[in-house]
Amino acid sequence: MPASRHCTQPAPPTDTPTMPALMPHPLPAFDDNYIWVLTGDDGNALVVDPGDAAPVLAAMAQGLRPTTVLVTHHHHDHIGGLAALLAAIPELEIVAPHDARIPLATRRVDDGDVVRAAGLDFRTLAVPGHTRSHIAFHADDAGTAPLLFCGDTLFSLGCGRLFEGTPAQMLASLDRLAALPGDTRVCCTHEYTLSNAAFALAVDPHNPALQARIDEVRELRARRQPTLPATLARERATNPFLSCDDAAVRAAITARHGRPPADRIETFAALREWKNVFRG
Ligand code: ZN
Ligand code: FE
């Protein structure tokens, strides 16, 4: 569990009500997807990327009250449950990027738009690369640690594949996410951390922060616990795809290609291609 501001800040003055950090909760789906749910102080919940309705309907039977769905991109494992959820909750707001491949959206958002859900204001960030219309949602409200729902763009110790974007686009998208506050809790849609760890270690074998993260991840997965959310500060210190300016990462690419990368875009492109063929 990441430390929340609630746990790490000094106690507030007695006349200020305490504000516990809202805890996002991952509902497992398919082999390695997470459908993130977050219930606000008013009891209304948001649901992110429901590729399958069943886990959400099961959570509703336990009291979850979804009012808003946030969709990051059009892939089926992120939208496959929309129709069944809308059938169960006719007034459900479904927020999605402009993309005809995502049916049933009740609201389309652009970069910079603000979506209110679970009592928080989420700012939309366009993050093309995995798909051309991929978006992320970031909340940075006072009273709770910032939250990022980033779909398949940023993973813990990794990043999404480039299905519809160039390395330059994806790197710019990752740069945007990496620039968010370090205490941002990163909620990715897949539990890929352990397999990403093997690649990260091949790239950056002498990084103590990475070693510590891998020890933690192994222990969590041995107990079948999620490795997410991860804090953005920790991702910046451990994720090779956020470290294209790092000397160790450049050195790894130089060793692999026999010459130094021309720039950080080439470093990123080489990392992504290497990861595509890597077998840990
Ligand atoms: Zn995807
Ligand atoms: Fe996915």
Side-chain angles (χ1 to χ4, degrees):
M1 277 298 150
S4 69
R5 283 186 190 171
H6 179 57
C7 302
T8 54
Q9 282 187 340
T14 46
D15 58 341
T16 308
T18 38
M19 187 90 75
L22 296 174
M23 294 304 292
H25 178 72
L27 302 177
F30 309 118
D31 288 340
D32 50 34
N33 282 63
Y34 289 136
I35 299 168
W36 289 94
V37 299
L38 178 69
T39 298
D41 292 331
D42 59 1
N44 292 329
L46 66 81
V47 175
V48 184
D49 286 349
D52 184 5
V56 182
L57 295 171
M60 287 167 61
Q62 302 297 314
L64 185 77
R65 239 172 53 208
T67 55
T68 306
V69 170
L70 306 179
V71 176
T72 64
H73 67 293
H74 75 278
H75 285 158
H76 187 74
D77 64 308
H78 299 247
I79 67 168
L82 290 179
L85 288 183
L86 200 54
I89 314 165
E91 65 279 14
L92 190 66
E93 181 178 46
I94 299 176
V95 181
H98 294 271
D99 193 319
R101 298 171 295 184
I102 306 171
L104 304 174
T106 61
R107 180 178 170 195
R108 302 284 177 177
V109 286
D110 290 306
D111 185 66
D113 284 350
V114 174
V115 177
R116 184 129 189 113
L120 299 175
D121 284 330
F122 286 86
R123 189 165 58 92
T124 304
L125 295 103
V127 285
H130 178 67
T131 68
R132 63 176 172 268
S133 62
H134 199 304
I135 58 173
F137 299 92
H138 185 250
D140 193 3
D141 284 36
T144 190
L147 274 167
L148 175 68
F149 297 114
C150 53
D152 289 356
T153 297
L154 174 62
F155 295 124
S156 184
L157 304 181
C159 75
R161 285 175 184 264
L162 307 189
F163 288 119
E164 298 180 0
T166 64
Q169 272 180 320
M170 187 64 155
L171 181 58
S173 294
L174 291 171
D175 285 345
R176 287 194 79 183
L177 298 183
L180 295 170
D183 58 343
T184 295
R185 294 169 289 169
V186 181
C187 302
C188 329
T189 307
H190 291 273
E191 180 60 69
Y192 286 159
T193 316
L194 193 56
S195 64
N196 286 344
F199 176 73
L201 197 60
V203 175
D204 195 7
H206 306 298
N207 178 344
L210 176 59
Q211 295 280 0
R213 173 68 171 147
I214 291 174
D215 289 346
E216 177 194 81
V217 164
R218 285 199 180 117
E219 201 215 316
L220 285 167
R221 294 312 293 155
R223 291 188 280 118
R224 299 181 188 280
Q225 296 291 309
T227 62
L228 304 166
T231 66
L232 193 55
R234 215 153 171 215
E235 285 305 308
R236 287 197 291 252
T238 55
N239 188 327
F241 294 96
L242 301 186
S243 308
C244 290
D245 301 315
D246 188 272
V249 172
R250 280 180 55 86
I253 297 302
T254 303
R256 185 171 164 82
H257 289 246
R259 62 170 180 82
D263 55 29
R264 58 198 304 277
I265 296 172
E266 199 175 298
T267 302
F268 176 77
L271 273 178
R272 190 56 262 184
E273 280 164 23
W274 183 3
K275 174 77 162 59
N276 289 346
V277 298
F278 182 79
R279 295 287 171 268

